[in-house]
Amino acid sequence: MKTLNDFDFNNKKALIRVDFNVPLNDSFEVTDATRIVSAKPTIIKILEDGGSCVLMSHLGRPKGVQEEFSLKHIIPKIEDILGVEVTFVSNCIGEEAEAKAKALQAGEILLLENLRFHDQEKQGDKDFAEQLSRLGDIYVNDAFGTAHRAHASTTIVAQFFPEAKCFGYLLAKEIESIKKVLEDGEKPVLAVLGGAKVSSKITVIENILDKVDHLIIGGGMTFTFIKAQGGSIGDSICEDDKMELALDIMKQAEAKGVKIHLPVDVIAADAFSNDANTQVVDVEHIPEGWQGLDAGPKSLENFDVVVNECKTILWNGPLGVFEMESFAKGTIALGDSIASSTKNGAFSLVGGGDSVAAVKQFGFENKVSYVSTGGGAMLESLEGKTLPGIAAILD
Ligand code: AMP
């Protein structure tokens, strides 16, 4: 696996695919600069080697050229974070981009305009990728968030750098973290899967059953399993057409020696509302008119024991409807358990979808070992897929 450390960037131009798809407010100011901060180590290493950086990214989902999606809005933030002046070019390909890239001196940064102003980016167009490739000597992919897409800048462009392509530090760290959990994890290995639906996590579950010793199933998914086993779930969310599958997962887990832990009690509410009346009930006896919206206290105690026994922990998906304060306690308690296990030496990876939002919202970001930067890309990795952006560098 080639990383930045395999190259000397002295007098070289690095063409770097970064993920600067950051949220902006109505005044076009960056409201969360995490992704820019995450790319900093890669950029600084190249500049310190005596090289220069051509940065390319997408921003939002523009339809053609749309001013509000211009990457020029984020220049002040990039300059602020990197402490280096940024030159900008208003088209990511073409004469001006090539001239500005050519004129770039050691220590300088050129930011290209939004790649998705061209439809060819998402189409993975080879000619467009070739035009991008003219802008650098070495291709660096540091964008995990788009590594599951075979777009021109994330995948296709790599073929124009057969000997000069590598992972940036951020992408390398993502790959190592996933490997540490799914392949080289110190036992016992635990996966906590929460979130709303079984259907969106089924491929993940099937893939990780071969990798883990314990599986905690929480969130809305719980009720498909409980109903399938004959429990009464009241008005809780349930996918009736996935009940067979749930039973099959239980069987597979047993055959593979994986211990499945489901909630034993829940916080049930008489409406899907923060102000609903609530009561703690046995997960298998939820009354009609009530729905389980969070894990109950006994479940959290059980989960805490498992989490603290395990040496490798993967967390994907909240244990309850954490967006509402009344049903966030389970997710917060799980975060506390994982933080404590991590403190005692476990490796913990949080990734995929809403769990990252939950971890940030409740301040667990620095208390777990690694928080992934890619939602969809992380889910696809957990499903066992080889991401095209990663395969293109390994080729
Ligand atoms: P996912 O994107 O699959 O990880 O699902 C996250 C969503 O699951 C969050 O928006 C939660 O509000 C939701 N969720 C978690 N637990 C429940 C539950 N018991 N009932 C309904 N939705 C839930």
Side-chain angles (χ1 to χ4, degrees):
M1 184 170 118
K2 276 195 177 159
T3 70
L4 291 178
N5 297 339
D6 295 306
F7 291 90
D8 179 1
F9 287 87
N10 191 21
N11 282 321
K12 300 280 188 211
K13 275 185 222 343
L15 176 64
I16 316 178
R17 179 47 159 108
V18 286
D19 181 2
F20 283 176
N21 183 28
V22 289
L24 303 179
N25 62 17
D26 290 345
S27 315
F28 300 107
E29 292 155 343
V30 177
T31 53
D32 180 352
T34 310
R35 288 176 168 167
I36 302 174
V37 173
S38 303
K40 184 175 176 178
T42 291
I43 297 167
I44 296 298
K45 138 84 183 167
I46 291 164
L47 298 183
E48 283 181 350
D49 266 10
S52 55
C53 296
V54 178
L55 304 179
M56 54 179 177
S57 177
H58 75 284
L59 176 66
R61 295 179 174 177
K63 294 196 169 49
V65 178
Q66 283 182 280
E67 183 78 350
E68 65 260 44
F69 294 107
S70 173
L71 278 165
K72 72 177 182 209
H73 302 305
I74 72 168
I75 295 172
K77 194 49 129 187
I78 302 175
E79 291 182 331
D80 189 32
I81 289 169
L82 299 179
V84 181
E85 205 180 303
V86 170
T87 308
F88 181 70
V89 56
S90 58
N91 188 351
C92 62
I93 53 167
E95 273 176 31
E96 196 191 345
E98 287 179 36
K100 283 191 169 169
K102 196 169 172 204
L104 211 58
Q105 300 296 311
E108 291 181 346
I109 295 177
L110 173 66
L111 174 69
L112 307 180
E113 180 56 287
N114 196 337
L115 291 157
R116 291 196 189 166
F117 282 0
H118 294 263
D119 291 342
Q120 295 100 310
E121 161 64 0
K122 284 176 80 172
Q123 291 158 355
D125 184 82
K126 197 169 169 182
D127 179 57
F128 177 71
E130 189 277 329
Q131 293 189 64
L132 291 173
S133 76
R134 294 181 204 164
L135 307 176
D137 306 310
I138 300 173
Y139 171 64
V140 179
N141 190 352
D142 211 19
F144 181 65
T146 48
H148 58 316
R149 307 280 184 222
H151 295 170
S153 69
T154 63
T155 302
I156 312 302
V157 71
Q159 61 192 256
F160 299 100
F161 299 89
E163 302 301 327
K165 54 184 178 179
C166 66
F167 297 111
Y169 287 137
L170 176 65
L171 185 42
K173 212 166 167 185
E174 295 274 0
I175 297 170
E176 278 159 23
S177 302
I178 295 164
K179 193 164 172 278
K180 214 162 167 177
V181 167
L182 293 186
E183 290 174 36
D184 318 326
E186 188 185 339
K187 283 177 158 294
V189 180
L190 162 71
V192 185
L193 295 183
K197 291 184 172 173
V198 180
S199 48
S200 62
K201 301 283 163 81
I202 183 63
T203 328
V204 175
I205 299 179
E206 288 180 336
N207 184 46
I208 60 174
L209 277 183
D210 286 322
K211 328 264 182 197
V212 303
D213 305 294
H214 294 271
L215 176 59
I216 291 178
I217 294 178
M221 277 202 289
T222 306
F223 306 104
T224 302
F225 283 82
I226 298 297
K227 188 173 174 188
Q229 290 174 297
S232 304
I233 59 165
D235 294 352
S236 306
I237 186 173
C238 180
E239 291 168 282
D240 285 346
D241 60 333
K242 295 288 175 292
M243 291 200 303
E244 276 299 315
L245 193 62
L247 291 177
D248 187 53
I249 288 168
M250 304 288 288
K251 252 196 234 152
Q252 281 187 51
E254 198 178 349
K256 291 177 184 195
V258 179
K259 185 134 190 3
I260 292 196
H261 308 266
L262 281 156
V264 291
D265 58 353
V266 290
I267 311 286
D270 62 357
F272 190 79
S273 156
N274 196 38
D275 305 322
N277 295 307
T278 60
Q279 58 173 327
V280 175
V281 293
D282 185 310
V283 73
E284 289 174 345
H285 301 103
I286 303 174
E288 285 305 317
W290 294 75
Q291 51 189 305
L293 294 184
D294 199 6
K298 184 80 192 107
S299 310
L300 297 174
E301 263 176 45
N302 295 348
F303 294 166
D304 183 62
V305 173
V306 183
V307 168
N308 278 291
E309 267 173 16
C310 288
K311 290 284 165 231
T312 304
I313 301 162
L314 164 73
W315 180 17
N316 170 276
L319 284 193
V321 184
F322 74 98
E323 298 92 336
M324 298 185 208
E325 203 187 339
S326 305
F327 311 107
K329 289 187 196 76
T331 301
I332 296 173
L334 175 72
D336 276 329
S337 300
I338 295 179
S340 129
S341 188
T342 308
K343 206 170 167 198
N344 291 325
F347 178 81
S348 53
L349 166 65
V350 183
D354 272 347
S355 28
V356 171
V359 159
K360 283 187 180 175
Q361 186 178 328
F362 302 127
F364 292 118
E365 221 172 341
N366 298 319
K367 298 180 181 171
V368 295
S369 310
Y370 191 67
V371 181
S372 174
T373 56
M378 178 47 101
L379 272 186
E380 290 197 19
S381 302
L382 299 177
E383 287 173 353
K385 293 183 186 151
T386 305
L387 310 187
I390 293 175
I393 301 283
L394 297 174
D395 254 359

